[in-house]
Amino acid sequence: MKPINPVRLLLIGLVLTVAGWSATVVTTRYSMATPVLPATALATMGVIVAITLVLGIRVLRWRNSTKRKKALDPILAARTLVLAQACAYAGTVLLGWHVGIFLDQLRIWNLRSDQGITWVAVAIAAGGLVMIVVGLLVERFCKIPPEDTDATPGEGKPGRGVRGEAAGEGEYAYRGD
């Protein structure tokens, strides 16, 4: 599994900012409701972040432990990695969409008597940013540091080339490609 590319996250965020802004312009023009998630979505985002952090810390503790009594369940490590990456991507989508809504609402800030939608968009965007940070952080937790051996990289590991170790990519905790 490849690590998340921050440039890809940035591009997704920019595309969704434009999409969120466009959707808000269209819904405002036709007197429809603003396409913002309800404030209760913050609770769901918080639960996702908490679960991701708990599983990530579990992998981090195993990784940093010097006395490993038992091996880490590879399925748990792989699921933690996938959850971390999904958390980062979902946070990017939410951040981009709600920044677009916020940018459109900003131009009519003084004309509205109720700025509740704008504050909800800001809160959801902030929650999306937290999801991105936690996703990237837990993804780092799942990386295994390079082994300190005197052997050259890739030596003694059948089927492995110099690809991962020499390039500095490292491996994930579940030791899968």
Side-chain angles (χ1 to χ4, degrees), residues 43-102:
T44 305
M45 293 166 69
V47 168
I48 292 169
V49 165
I51 291 171
T52 306
L53 264 177
V54 166
L55 292 174
I57 289 171
R58 192 169 167 189
V59 171
L60 181 67
R61 282 185 182 163
W62 176 85
R63 187 185 84 176
N64 292 341
S65 173
T66 56
K67 300 175 186 176
R68 294 182 184 146
K69 294 180 182 176
K70 60 181 183 176
L72 180 68
D73 181 19
I75 300 297
L76 173 73
R79 287 180 180 164
T80 302
L81 176 64
V82 169
L83 179 63
Q85 290 184 349
C87 186
Y89 281 117
T92 302
V93 169
L94 292 170
L95 175 65
W97 182 265
H98 288 88
V99 164
I101 291 171
F102 174 73

Side-chain angles (χ1 to χ4, degrees), residues 77-126:
R79 287 180 180 164
T80 302
L81 176 64
V82 169
L83 179 63
Q85 290 184 349
C87 186
Y89 281 117
T92 302
V93 169
L94 292 170
L95 175 65
W97 182 265
H98 288 88
V99 164
I101 291 171
F102 174 73
L103 291 175
D104 182 63
Q105 296 294 312
L106 201 59
R107 68 183 173 88
I108 57 173
W109 179 266
N110 293 331
L111 302 175
R112 297 192 101 164
S113 60
D114 178 29
Q115 284 98 10
I117 291 174
T118 308
W119 290 116
V120 169
V122 168
I124 300 276

Side-chain angles (χ1 to χ4, degrees), residues 144-149 165 168 170-171:
I144 294 178
E147 307 255 344
D148 292 334
T149 61
E165 290 88 343
E171 294 181 31

Side-chain angles (χ1 to χ4, degrees), residues 2-17 84-97 128-137 139:
K2 294 185 185 237
I4 292 178
N5 184 355
V7 175
R8 181 180 292 161
L9 288 180
L10 183 65
L11 289 175
I12 292 169
L14 288 174
V15 166
L16 280 155
T17 298
Q85 290 184 349
C87 186
Y89 281 117
T92 302
V93 169
L94 292 170
L95 175 65
W97 182 265
L129 185 60
V130 169
M131 287 179 75
I132 293 169
V133 169
V134 167
L136 292 174
L137 186 68
E139 182 188 39

Side-chain angles (χ1 to χ4, degrees), residues 17-29 33-35 97 101 104:
T17 298
V18 171
W21 177 79
S22 301
T24 306
V25 167
V26 169
T27 57
T28 303
R29 181 173 295 151
T34 306
W97 182 265
I101 291 171
D104 182 63

